[in-house]
């Protein structure tokens, strides 16, 4: 099928609620309190990060950046929104609303990791800076635009690794997704995370993702006998000279091969009808009645008939039963049929499998052996059933360029204060990264420099490193307007970058069971800054 080139990669505006009011009410109540206190124009910096990788894994894929940038560029209150907000804070002075409704993102700066990157806990995905009033108002929307996309892309990448190299992956989840926007986001970020195509036609148009689809059981069961296709089964030969009656040729193949005494005649009729419509791409569902005694034999009969017309049948889809066993048996029968008919490519017909497949099923199939070429995956992919949310947070780390810290009785919820940089460090002996190092914004890290790595919370855990390669992870992507060119090629580039990034993850970090955590450390200067601010801000109680 041809690939449609989208006009842009902006968020799906056909059914989108993205805008200034896609936020929590406390953002506006805080905005008023900031304004009353005269703090709304203070220079603020917020980190967007997560504390734990999803799905029991040790890596995450960062996604959603393009949608964030689109949201910032379009940030503006409509007259209807203004009228509604006045009812939420009726006690506010008119001057506050004059301030609020004049806001845009012209003074906002975003430093971000590249979309499609492999990322790890506590490393800021984005650093949002600007006047406190406006950057506070952005919190909920930015989290909404990053959390699910990153979760979805990560899930897709894990399915891609579990399926194995060379296997096709089709996203089939629109009917099970959480609403229209959820379905569109699932298709988009499944593709970014490594899926090859989608069944979602709207996503194909909007994002230029290849669209694939075959048939449902209803198509097969709508035919009851060969009479349904009598006189309607002529197909022009591939070379364009003359026609072939697929009905006649399929029945002749059945009589010759006699692969089963129990094949369903209505199913055979449905396959003939489908082949008449799609002689170039005949791939059919074979489990409506019985895969081995009916569906597969009927496919082979029609495949032989198509061969008479000069066409190669594409393959079959399994949607129930023991997928490992059925795929191996189907491949065996296809091989035997290829020998009997002399149609060599019949043995290599594509076998597509669906049926509620998850990551564990893919791993089990690989462990026990199978002959599946392509997987169609829906529910477990698009709903992220294994873990429904990523848990990105948006925390104030600096105000007027002075570090701020959030403390907690749970050390994992303590923030790393201050404006920061992040560097990914490598050794020449390996293509895999060794560590991500967070530093103060005024620090530099260079190749050959001996660096002390500090654990974020455990001062006893330290190590030295002399990196052979240093990669700074953040770059300025928004400075009052987007600095990225969100063109039709953006998704293709982000997807390619994501796949490349995944290939460089050390295998023990990426394995499904008991993966090794990737090290994220802080510099000595940042460690000292954090310790000093912690001691300064933590209340000292008096025991009695």
């Amino acid at each position: 099928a041809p690939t449609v080139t989208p006009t842009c990669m902006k968020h799906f505006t056909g059914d989108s609620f993205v805008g200034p009011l896609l936020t929590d009410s406390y953002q506006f109540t805080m905005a008023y309190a900031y304004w009353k206190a005269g703090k709304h124009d203070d220079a603020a910096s917020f980190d967007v990060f997560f504390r734990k990788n999803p799905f029991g894994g040790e890596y995450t894929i960062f996604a959603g950046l393009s949608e964030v940038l689109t949201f910032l560029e379009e940030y503006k209150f409509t007259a209807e929104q203004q009228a509604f907000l006045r009812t939420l804070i009726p006690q506010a002075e008119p001057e506050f609303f004059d301030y609020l409704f004049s806001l845009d993102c012209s003074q906002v700066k975003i430093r971000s990791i590249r979309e499609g990157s492999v990322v790890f806990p506590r490393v800021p995905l984005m650093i949002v800076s600007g006047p406190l009033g406006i950057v506070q108002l952005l919190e909920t929307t930015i989290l909404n635009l990053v959390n699910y996309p990153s979760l979805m892309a990560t899930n897709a990448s894990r399915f891609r690794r579990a399926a194995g190299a060379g296997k096709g992956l089709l996203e089939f989840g629109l009917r099970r997704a959480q609403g229209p926007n959820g379905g569109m986001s699932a298709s988009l970020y499944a593709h970014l995370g490594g899926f090859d195509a989608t069944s979602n036609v709207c996503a194909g148009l909007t994002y230029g993702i290849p669209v694939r689809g075959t048939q449902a059981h209803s198509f097969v069961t709508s035919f009851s006998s060969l009479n349904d296709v009598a006189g309607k089964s002529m197909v022009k030969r591939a070379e364009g000279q003359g026609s072939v009656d697929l009905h006649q040729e399929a029945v002749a193949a059945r009589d010759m091969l006699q692969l089963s005494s129990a094949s369903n005649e209505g199913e055979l009729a449905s396959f003939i009808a489908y082949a008449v419509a799609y002689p170039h791409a005949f791939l059919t569902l074979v489990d409506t009645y019985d895969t081995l005694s009916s569906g597969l034999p009927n496919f082979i009969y029609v495949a032989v008939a198509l061969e008479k017309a000069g066409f190669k049948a594409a393959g079959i889809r399994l949607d129930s039963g023991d997928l490992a066993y059925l795929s191996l048996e189907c491949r065996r029968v296809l091989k035997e049929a290829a020998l009997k008919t002399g149609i060599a490519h019949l043995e290599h017909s594509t076998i597509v499998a669906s049926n509620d497949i998850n990551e564990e099923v893919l791993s089990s199939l690989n462990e026990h052996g199978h002959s599946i070429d392509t997987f169609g995956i829906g529910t477990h992919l698009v709903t992220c059933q294994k873990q429904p949310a990523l848990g990105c947070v948006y925390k104030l780390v600096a105000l007027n360029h002075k570090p701020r810290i959030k403390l907690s009785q749970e050390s994992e919820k303590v923030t790393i204060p201050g404006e920061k940089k992040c560097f990914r460090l490598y050794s020449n002996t390996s293509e895999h990264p060794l560590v991500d190092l967070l530093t103060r914004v005024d620090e530099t890290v260079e190749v050959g420099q001996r660096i002390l790595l500090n654990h974020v919370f455990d001062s006893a855990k330290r190590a030295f490193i002399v990196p052979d390669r240093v990669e700074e992870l953040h770059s300025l992507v928004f400075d009052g307007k987007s600095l990225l060119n969100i063109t039709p090629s953006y998704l293709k580039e982000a997807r390619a970058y994501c796949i490349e990034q995944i290939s460089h993850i050390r295998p023990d970090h990426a394995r499904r069971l008991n993966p090794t955590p990737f090290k994220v450390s802080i510099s000595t200067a940042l460690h000292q800054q954090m310790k000093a601010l912690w001691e300064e801000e933590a209340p000292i109680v008096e025991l009695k």
Side-chain angles (χ1 to χ4, degrees):
T3 299
V4 175
T5 301
T7 56
C8 68
M9 255 294 297
K10 294 186 177 227
H11 59 70
F12 176 54
T13 55
D15 184 22
S16 176
F17 297 101
V18 177
L21 265 61
L22 186 68
T23 190
D24 296 303
S25 63
Y26 78 172
Q27 307 294 2
F28 289 109
T29 58
M30 284 192 291
Y32 178 55
Y34 283 143
W35 182 82
K36 288 283 285 184
K39 295 181 68 64
H40 55 289
D41 284 331
D42 285 4
S45 185
F46 286 80
D47 283 354
V48 179
F49 64 95
F50 59 92
R51 299 185 178 102
K52 187 176 181 180
N53 289 300
F55 311 117
E58 287 297 342
Y59 76 91
T60 299
I61 303 298
F62 171 46
L65 175 61
S66 65
E67 297 198 68
V68 170
L69 300 185
T70 300
F71 161 63
L72 298 178
E73 286 188 312
E74 298 177 354
Y75 193 95
K76 186 178 181 180
F77 292 94
T78 67
E80 181 184 23
Q81 291 169 343
Q82 292 179 26
F84 180 72
L85 285 171
R86 290 180 189 276
T87 67
L88 289 186
I89 317 175
Q91 73 275 22
E93 296 88 328
E95 292 80 7
F96 166 70
F97 291 111
D98 292 340
Y99 152 75
L100 180 64
F101 300 146
S102 69
L103 288 176
D104 58 28
C105 293
S106 59
Q107 298 182 67
V108 174
K109 294 181 186 290
I110 303 270
R111 290 171 53 233
S112 176
I113 292 176
R114 182 173 173 178
E115 187 158 11
S117 294
V118 169
V119 290
F120 302 99
R122 299 207 162 270
V123 174
L125 307 176
M126 292 187 289
I127 299 164
V128 185
S129 303
L132 178 58
I134 179 63
V135 293
Q136 181 71 73
L137 286 170
L138 302 177
E139 175 184 4
T140 301
T141 320
I142 287 178
L143 292 178
N144 179 270
L145 294 175
V146 167
N147 263 312
Y148 179 70
S150 297
L151 185 74
M152 184 67 222
T154 306
N155 202 26
S157 76
R158 292 178 65 88
F159 275 88
R160 164 53 67 196
R161 288 186 64 89
K167 299 299 182 183
L169 286 178
L170 311 177
E171 178 267 309
F172 280 179
L174 179 59
R175 65 187 60 194
R176 304 287 172 80
Q178 282 91 340
N181 278 351
M184 290 297 290
S185 292
S187 297
L188 171 60
Y189 294 109
H191 190 56
L192 189 150
F195 272 60
D196 301 298
T198 179
S199 65
N200 184 344
V201 178
C202 191
L205 171 63
T206 306
Y207 303 125
I209 302 171
V211 176
R212 299 289 184 269
T214 54
Q215 60 189 212
H217 294 103
S218 55
F219 182 84
V220 179
T221 58
S222 70
F223 292 80
S224 57
S225 76
L226 287 170
N227 290 332
D228 291 341
V229 293
K232 306 170 188 175
S233 56
M234 300 300 293
V235 171
K236 288 184 179 181
R237 294 182 183 275
E239 63 271 17
Q241 297 178 352
S243 299
V244 170
D245 187 336
L246 293 188
H247 176 188
Q248 178 181 317
E249 294 295 341
V251 171
R254 181 181 65 178
D255 293 342
M256 176 188 72
L257 295 173
Q258 296 184 6
L259 298 175
S260 172
S261 60
S263 62
N264 184 282
E265 187 176 279
E267 182 180 56
L268 178 59
S270 75
F271 289 3
I272 293 169
Y274 201 77
V276 169
Y278 301 99
H280 294 86
F282 177 60
L283 194 151
T284 191
L285 190 60
V286 295
D287 74 329
T288 304
Y289 300 111
D290 185 274
T291 297
L292 297 178
S293 64
S294 183
L296 181 61
N298 283 333
F299 164 78
I300 293 171
Y301 303 149
V302 177
V304 172
L306 281 171
E307 190 75 18
K308 298 285 186 180
F311 297 102
K312 294 180 179 180
I316 62 174
R317 177 160 73 96
L318 306 171
D319 192 47
S320 61
D322 185 332
L323 297 179
Y325 168 75
L326 288 174
S327 68
L328 291 170
E329 280 297 292
C330 285
R331 187 68 71 197
R332 180 186 64 78
V333 174
L334 288 166
K335 183 177 181 179
E336 292 175 355
L339 291 172
K340 287 181 180 179
T341 62
I343 305 173
H345 63 81
L346 193 58
E347 175 185 352
H348 306 290
S349 299
T350 297
I351 298 178
V352 180
S354 45
N355 187 30
D356 216 23
I357 294 171
N358 59 27
E359 190 180 345
E360 287 70 28
V361 168
L362 290 174
S363 297
S364 177
L365 285 169
N366 288 334
E367 181 181 347
H368 293 97
H370 67 88
S371 193
I372 299 166
D373 302 294
T374 297
F375 295 94
I377 302 175
T379 305
H380 288 276
L381 173 68
V382 304
T383 65
C384 299
Q385 280 193 352
K386 195 173 179 181
Q387 180 174 324
L390 175 57
C392 280
V393 294
Y394 186 94
K395 296 299 181 183
L396 180 69
V397 294
L399 191 66
N400 295 323
H401 307 291
K402 295 181 179 179
R404 303 302 304 147
I405 191 171
K406 173 197 173 294
L407 299 180
S408 172
Q409 291 181 336
E410 302 174 49
S411 62
E412 287 297 309
K413 289 195 172 184
V414 174
T415 58
I416 303 174
E419 298 168 297
K420 294 178 282 293
K421 293 180 181 177
C422 185
F423 300 89
R424 187 158 290 174
L425 309 183
Y426 296 80
S427 165
N428 278 341
T429 60
S430 174
E431 64 177 352
H432 310 301
L434 295 174
V435 65
D436 279 0
L437 176 65
L438 291 167
T439 73
R440 289 173 28 149
V441 74
D442 56 357
E443 292 185 84
T444 59
V445 175
E446 298 177 354
V447 169
Q449 176 185 352
R450 192 166 189 256
I451 302 163
L452 180 63
L453 306 174
N454 299 269
H455 190 277
V456 178
F457 299 114
D458 190 344
S459 298
K461 292 183 178 180
R462 299 181 298 170
F464 282 109
I465 186 174
V466 181
D468 297 306
R469 180 157 70 93
V470 174
E471 175 188 358
E472 186 168 355
L473 295 185
H474 296 95
S475 62
L476 186 66
V477 297
F478 190 90
D479 190 7
K481 64 178 181 179
S482 175
L483 302 179
L484 294 184
N485 196 14
I486 312 298
T487 64
S489 64
Y490 182 88
L491 173 58
K492 182 178 179 180
E493 293 165 359
R495 181 177 185 272
Y497 184 70
C498 175
I499 292 171
E500 178 194 0
Q501 285 265 294
I502 293 169
S503 71
H504 293 312
I505 302 175
R506 209 171 72 193
D508 60 312
H509 295 314
R511 66 191 176 206
R512 186 173 68 88
L513 297 176
N514 301 314
T516 305
F518 182 82
K519 290 181 175 61
V520 175
S521 299
I522 60 177
S523 68
T524 298
L526 183 57
H527 184 264
Q528 291 172 345
Q529 175 178 279
M530 183 176 180
K531 183 175 182 292
L533 194 59
W534 194 326
E535 292 176 350
E536 178 183 331
E537 296 291 348
I540 302 175
V541 299
E542 184 172 334
L543 299 179
K544 295 183 180 180

